[in-house]
Each structure stands twice: as C-alpha cells, then as structure tokens.
C-alpha cells in the first residue's frame, strides 16, 4: 500500500509538467510565426517608422506654418535600441534604421544624396558609441550605474553630437571645419538634447517591458494623474506673465513633477516625463510663450535646450540611485524566491525520505519482528513450562515494539491523508494522540473543501509539528485544533493551556520546528502567526488563500473528537 501511495504522489507531481511535445514534422503556426512577428514588432517597425518620421520632421519644419522639429530622432533612436538589444540582432536594427531613412528620402527626394550620406555617417558613429558603452558596462544593465551614466553623458551626449555636428556641417555647407561655427553649435545642441532625452527613455521603457517586476507604479490611475499634471503644467506655462516675476518659479515648476514621476513610476516613467516636458517647453519657447520666451525665437529655443541639458543630466544621476535601489530590491526578491524553491525541494526530498523510511519500517523491520515472534513461539513449545513465561514476556515486548514501529511509520507517512483527505487524517491523528499520551487533544474540523495533495500534506505537517511542540515544551494538559474556512482563506489554529512562549529580553532564534512550519506556510502562499492563546498558553495560526487551489470535490463531514 505504501508503494502505491508513493507512486501516486510522484505521478501527481509529474503531471503538472507533463506537456506533450510538439511534432517536429508539423510545427504549429504560432511556433513558425511568433519569433518573426516579435522581431518585426519590437525591432523593425519602431526603428523604421521612427527613422522615417525623424527624417521627415525637419522637412515639415521648413514649410510655412509648421514649427514641429525640436529633436533629432533617427540617431538617438538607433542608439537606444542597440543598447538593450542583444548583439546578434544589431544587424536587424541597423537595417531597419537604414530602411526608414531610405524610405524618407524616397518620399522627399529634394533632400539629396548629401543628407543620406550624413545619416549614414551618423549611424556609423552611433554603432561605435554603442559598442563602447556596452564594452565598459560589464554585467550591469545599460545606464544603471553612475559610471555608465557619466560615460554616456560624455560620449553619447557630448562627443557624439560634436562629431555628428562636424560631419553634417561639412557635408551640408560644403566648407571645411570652422567655416560655420554657428551652425555646428546649433547642430551640436540639438543632437545633445536629443540623445540625452531619447536614449534613456528608450532603454528604461524597454527595461520595464522586459521585467514585469518594475511595473508596480504603472497603473491607469497613475497615468491619469500624470496626464493631468502635464495639462496643469502646460496651462501654467501658457499664461502670459508679463512682469517676469514668476519666471524663476515657472522654470522650477517641472522639478516636483519629475521627482514625483521618479518615485511613483520609476526611472522609465521619469525619463518619459522628462521627454514630454522638454518637448513642451521647447515648443512653447518657439512660439514666444512660457518661462524661456525672453528673447528672439532662436535664443528662446537655445535657452530651453540648455535648461533641458542641465535638468536631464541631474535627473539621470538621481535616477541612477533609484535604479540601483530597485535593482538591489529585485535581486533580493529573486534570491528569496530561489531560496523558497530550494526549501520547497528540500521539503519534497524530506517527504520522499520519510516515505522510504516508513515503508522500510513497515515492510522490513516489522516483518523481521514477526519472524522473530514466530521463532519464539516455536522455541516456547520446546522448553520446559517453568521457562516459558520468559519467552512470553519477550513476545509481549516484541509486540509493543512492533506497535511502536507501526505508529512511527504512520506518522512518517500518513497514507490515510492521501486516500481519504485532510479531515479524516486529522481525525485519526487526534484519536491516536489521545489514546497514547497524557496530552488531551480536541479537534474541531469544519466542512472543508478538498485541497491539492501537497497543500493537505503541508497543512498536516504544520499541525503535527505544532502538537509535538506543545507536547514537548508547553507543559500543557490540553490542546485544541481548529481547521476551518474563513471567507476565502483556510485557517489552521492550534491552542494550548501551557506555559506560553518564554519571555526574553531580545528576539530568540526560532528552532528547526518553527522554521519548518514557517516555510511550509510560506509555500502555501500564507502566513504563520504565533500569539498568546485564550487558554493561557500559545496560539499558532496559519492562514492561506483558497482561490485557484481547491479541487471540485464535495466537502467532508464535520468531525469533533475529544
């Protein structure tokens, strides 16, 4: 019987992972199309459309009535994608960016070959910068540490825009370096702002999409609040403050909003918020509105870009602190999760070892004792009657030992739990406890749903360990066990009238039994609480949710034994 129960238990565990393999000769359509579709949606389409739009916006900005272009999109967009994409997919990203650029020149052929060469040179510089940043990054995520951000600011927001500005100035003006210093400065400032805003936004948003644990603050209510705050900021900046007294406060107005976004939405939300606020400020400055509208249109835009550079760099370094704390927190959670998995496996191995020992005691040791008893019976018939009482005493002792071994075997592996359920197993446990010891155990078992085998076993082991602790340490005369359902939770409660928990000046280290109960309660998805009992001793209470864990079986009867 024990062997059959063990096989059934293993089959139940294996059945959770028993997934029929796919037929390699006839792969499903989802298997054939999902990788290509994923690459198209995450790499090809965003880069192609982004580069297409980024190349067309300067053309629209030169048309009468359009003043939309304040950021340069293609290069920063490609750099952001390269920083979070595996190097094996770089070729796809580069081809998508080049395809978007070529498509833009197909729509606007008057841009000429010079613009195409300028974009190709910028993409080459972007690839080199991405390789350099990832080489110095090490094992960390991109733009996570202070050193990575400092290197990104120096190389990606200073050196790269300077090189791009020089390259574009030489190609577009037809003069050597130094002939158009004003154009180079304007190109550098626009490129620096673009790389500072777009690259962190792309990298951090991609990190949130790839890591679900980082989406805690991303809720629809938070999004509504963020939009409302942006609307309020736009209205405040849109008011005509003629006297200029409110200008310093208007410049500082986005700072609390950015800090709020960093705290609530994380680095990704703060980066996206900074991008929107910067674009809003630069657009208003080009229309001679807002805190930066103090001079001519060009000077207003330069003022807004300089403010964006300072605020964006400060936000990057402030976000690095938040990102490191979040990363450490996620690593700690992952470590606890792995520790829980190891603990769960150890408990499974412990139960398997208990089952093996129980089977050996029941099938081997007890059979050996029975054979010895038979030999003693044969010996008793061969010796004088005056000596037979000694053999009878030995047989009685063997019977007592056999009963003790059988009881230990049943405690090590309660087969009744697997065949009849938790209520019957608790019922039998209370009856045996009251029959063999001085501790009086009263069990109250309400109508219970049938749980999974592993849940019932964990709950039974917690109750068993709690009663053993009461018997060994509490000096109690009575204990009460309650198993019931309260709302959507299963409740196990063990009370005793013993001496209670020992009072100490500091927190005492829990014993192995208490650690085992806490781990089993955690594996159930619940909690274990130790408190004072109304009976005068200690109360141990376990609660865990029932949602999604109950098998559709009729409830068992209510049983009370004393």
């Amino acid at each position: 019987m024990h062997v059959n129960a063990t096989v059934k238990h293993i089959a139940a565990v294996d059945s959770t992972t028993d997934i029929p393999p796919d037929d390699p000769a006839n792969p499903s359509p989802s298997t054939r199309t999902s990788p290509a579709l994923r690459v198209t949606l995450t790499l090809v389409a965003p880069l192609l459309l982004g580069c297409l739009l980024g190349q067309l916006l300067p053309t629209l900005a030169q048309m009468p009535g359009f003043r939309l272009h304040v950021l340069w999109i293609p290069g920063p967009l490609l750099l952001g994608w390269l920083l979070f994409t595996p190097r094996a997919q770089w070729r796809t990203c580069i081809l998508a960016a080049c395809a978007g650029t070529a498509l833009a020149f197909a729509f606007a052929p008057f841009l000429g070959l010079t613009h195409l060469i300028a974009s190709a040179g910028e993409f080459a510089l972007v690839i080199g910068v991405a390789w350099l940043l990832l080489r110095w990054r090490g094992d960390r995520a991109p733009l996570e540490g202070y050193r990575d951000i400092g290197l990104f600011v120096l190389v990606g927001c200073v050196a790269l825009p300077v090189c791009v500005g020089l390259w574009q100035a030489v190609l577009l003006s037809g003069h050597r370096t130094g002939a158009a210093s004003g154009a180079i400065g304007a190109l550098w400032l626009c490129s620096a702002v673009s790389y500072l805003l777009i690259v962190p936004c792309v990298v951090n948003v991609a990190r949130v999409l790839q890591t679900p644990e980082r989406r805690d603050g991303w809720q629809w209510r938070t999004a509504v609040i963020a939009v409302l705050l942006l609307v309020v900021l736009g209205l405040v900046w849109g008011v005509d403050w003629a006297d200029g007294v409110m200008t310093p406060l208007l410049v500082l107005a986005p700072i609390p909003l950015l800090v709020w976004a960093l705290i609530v939405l994380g680095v990704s939300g703060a980066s996206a918020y900074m991008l929107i606020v910067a674009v809003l400020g630069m657009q208003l400055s080009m229309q001679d509105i807002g805190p930066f509208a103090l001079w001519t249109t060009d000077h207003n835009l330069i003022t807004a870009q300089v403010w964006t550079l300072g605020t964006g760099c400060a936000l990057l370094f402030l976000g690095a602190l938040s990102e490191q704390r979040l990363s450490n927190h996620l690593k700690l959670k992952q470590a606890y999760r792995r520790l829980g998995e190891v603990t769960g496996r150890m408990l499974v191995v412990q139960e398997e070892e208990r089952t093996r020992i129980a089977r050996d005691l029941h099938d081997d040791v007890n059979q050996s004792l029975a054979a010895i008893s038979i030999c003693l019976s044969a010996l008793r018939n061969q010796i004088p009657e005056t000596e037979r009482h000694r053999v009878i005493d030995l047989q009685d002792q063997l019977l007592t030992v056999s009963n003790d071994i059988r009881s230990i075997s049943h405690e090590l592996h309660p087969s009744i739990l697997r065949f009849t359920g938790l209520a019957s197993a608790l019922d039998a446990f209370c009856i045996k406890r009251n029959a063999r010891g001085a501790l009086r155990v009263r069990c109250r078992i309400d109508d219970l749903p049938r749980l999974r085998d592993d849940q019932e076993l964990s709950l039974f082991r917690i109750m068993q360990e709690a009663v053993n602790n009461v018997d060994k340490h509490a000096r109690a005369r009575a204990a009460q066990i309650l198993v019931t359902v309260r709302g959507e939770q299963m409740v196990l409660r063990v009370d005793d009238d013993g001496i209670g928990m020992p009072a100490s000046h500091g927190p005492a280290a829990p014993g192995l039994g208490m650690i085992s109960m806490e781990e089993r309660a955690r594996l159930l998805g619940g909690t274990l609480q130790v408190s004072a009992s109304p009976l005068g001793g200690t109360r141990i209470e376990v609660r865990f949710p029932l949602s999604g864990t109950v098998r559709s079986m009729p409830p068992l009867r209510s049983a009370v034994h004393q």
Side-chain angles (χ1 to χ4, degrees):
M1 179 180 295
H2 288 282
V3 175
N4 293 336
T6 305
V7 173
K8 180 182 177 183
H9 174 62
I10 295 176
V13 174
D14 292 342
S15 64
T16 59
T17 58
D18 187 13
I19 301 174
D22 296 332
D23 186 3
N26 298 311
S28 62
S30 61
T31 305
R32 293 195 304 264
T33 59
S34 59
L37 181 62
R38 187 182 304 111
V39 171
T40 302
L41 293 178
T42 59
L43 299 180
V44 177
L47 281 171
L48 191 146
L49 295 177
C51 291
L52 173 62
L53 181 64
Q55 295 287 350
L56 292 179
L57 279 179
T59 305
L60 295 177
Q62 297 174 3
M63 298 174 62
F66 288 93
R67 308 186 70 163
L68 300 176
H69 181 59
V70 293
L71 295 178
W72 175 247
I73 298 176
L77 194 65
L78 178 60
L79 179 58
W81 245 264
L82 293 180
L83 288 180
F84 78 86
T85 304
R87 194 162 297 180
Q89 296 179 339
W90 276 23
R91 183 174 62 180
T92 304
C93 296
I94 296 169
L95 291 177
C98 294
T101 302
L103 192 61
F105 285 104
F107 284 121
F110 58 86
L111 293 177
L113 183 63
T114 305
H115 288 80
L116 184 62
I117 297 175
S119 298
E122 182 182 7
F123 288 165
L125 292 172
V126 165
I127 295 171
V129 170
W131 177 84
L132 182 63
L133 292 177
L134 292 179
R135 181 183 177 129
W136 287 13
R137 179 193 64 180
D139 297 332
R140 297 181 303 275
L143 304 184
E144 182 176 347
Y146 292 108
R147 187 182 69 176
D148 299 335
I149 292 178
L151 181 64
F152 166 72
V153 171
L154 291 177
V155 177
C157 300
V158 177
L160 178 60
V162 168
C163 295
V164 171
L166 291 173
W167 173 250
Q168 291 183 355
V170 169
L171 289 177
L172 299 180
S173 64
H175 299 285
R176 293 293 181 185
T177 303
S181 58
I184 294 176
L187 289 174
W188 172 83
L189 197 55
C190 179
S191 298
V193 171
S194 302
Y195 281 95
L196 182 65
L197 293 177
I198 295 177
V199 175
C201 184
V202 171
V203 171
N204 291 318
V205 171
R207 188 181 303 164
V208 168
L209 296 178
Q210 294 174 352
T211 310
E213 292 84 358
R214 298 176 181 269
R215 306 175 192 170
D216 293 338
W218 291 77
Q219 301 175 1
W220 66 271
R221 294 182 179 177
T222 310
V224 170
I225 295 175
V227 172
L228 292 178
L229 291 177
L230 283 175
V231 171
V232 172
L233 178 64
L235 294 176
V236 172
W237 273 3
V239 176
D240 185 14
W241 307 94
D243 52 1
V245 176
M246 297 295 295
T247 300
L249 293 179
L250 295 178
V251 172
L252 296 176
I255 304 300
L257 304 185
L258 296 174
V259 174
W260 172 84
L262 182 62
I263 295 174
V264 177
L265 302 176
V267 181
S268 57
S271 300
Y273 220 71
M274 181 66 205
L275 175 61
I276 298 173
V277 169
V279 171
L280 177 63
M282 288 185 287
Q283 287 290 343
L284 292 178
S285 66
M286 294 179 64
Q287 299 176 8
D288 295 331
I289 302 174
F292 309 112
L294 303 176
W295 299 279
T296 62
T297 301
D298 293 337
H299 284 80
N300 293 342
L301 180 59
I302 293 175
T303 304
Q305 289 174 335
V306 172
W307 177 88
T308 301
L309 285 176
T311 307
C313 290
L315 185 65
L316 274 180
F317 284 98
L318 184 61
L321 176 62
S322 175
E323 187 65 24
Q324 287 183 351
R325 294 183 61 182
L326 179 59
S327 298
N328 293 335
H329 177 68
L330 294 178
K331 290 178 182 178
L332 185 61
K333 287 180 62 176
Q334 186 178 9
Y336 275 117
R337 189 183 303 114
R338 291 179 179 176
L339 180 61
E341 293 175 357
V342 172
T343 304
R345 293 174 185 172
M346 290 178 60
L347 292 176
V348 170
V349 172
Q350 184 185 52
E351 291 298 333
E352 293 175 352
E353 190 66 16
R354 284 183 173 185
T355 301
R356 185 190 65 82
I357 295 174
R359 183 173 59 249
D360 292 343
L361 289 175
H362 185 273
D363 296 341
D364 296 339
V365 179
N366 259 355
Q367 297 300 326
S368 299
L369 292 177
I372 294 174
S373 179
I374 293 174
C375 293
L376 288 177
S377 297
L379 179 63
R380 185 182 60 184
N381 296 328
Q382 298 175 5
I383 62 176
E385 293 186 1
T386 56
E387 302 294 334
R388 289 182 181 179
H389 67 279
R390 297 183 178 179
V391 178
I392 294 175
D393 291 341
L394 288 176
Q395 286 183 313
D396 292 339
Q397 292 178 13
L398 281 176
L399 181 60
T400 302
V401 172
S402 178
N403 291 333
D404 291 342
I405 290 176
R406 186 179 297 108
S407 177
I408 293 174
S409 175
H410 290 166
E411 287 190 3
L412 286 174
H413 179 68
S415 56
I416 188 176
L417 177 65
R418 195 167 308 280
F419 294 112
T420 61
L422 180 62
S424 298
L426 295 178
D427 186 10
F429 177 83
C430 293
I431 293 175
K432 291 181 180 179
R433 272 287 180 177
N434 290 330
R436 75 178 187 184
L439 179 66
R440 300 292 91 189
V441 181
R442 184 177 184 272
C443 295
R444 176 187 167 189
I445 307 169
D446 294 339
D447 291 336
L448 301 179
R450 188 70 187 270
L451 307 177
R452 297 197 310 264
D453 291 342
D454 58 334
Q455 291 178 318
E456 292 185 344
L457 182 59
S458 296
L459 207 59
F460 182 84
R461 291 301 186 196
I462 293 174
M463 182 275 304
Q464 191 179 44
E465 184 64 33
V467 174
N468 288 337
N469 288 342
V470 172
D471 194 15
K472 293 179 181 179
H473 308 294
R475 304 176 191 172
R477 293 174 299 176
Q480 293 183 0
I481 300 174
L482 170 66
V483 184
T484 184
V485 176
R486 299 287 174 83
E488 297 295 328
Q489 289 185 329
M490 175 76 77
V491 178
L492 167 65
R493 185 181 297 162
V494 180
D495 292 286
D496 66 79
D497 60 353
I499 59 175
M501 298 294 292
S504 59
H505 298 286
L512 292 178
M514 186 63 66
I515 294 176
S516 175
M517 289 191 291
E518 290 178 349
E519 288 298 326
R520 290 185 183 274
R522 189 184 58 79
L523 291 176
L524 288 171
T527 58
L528 183 142
Q529 294 182 350
V530 181
S531 59
S533 171
L535 300 181
T538 305
R539 165 175 289 181
I540 294 178
E541 183 174 281
V542 176
R543 291 176 176 264
F544 68 94
L546 286 173
S547 57
T549 62
V550 182
R551 294 203 302 255
S552 57
M553 296 185 62
L556 301 179
R557 63 180 177 86
S558 176
V560 178
H561 284 276
Q562 186 171 1

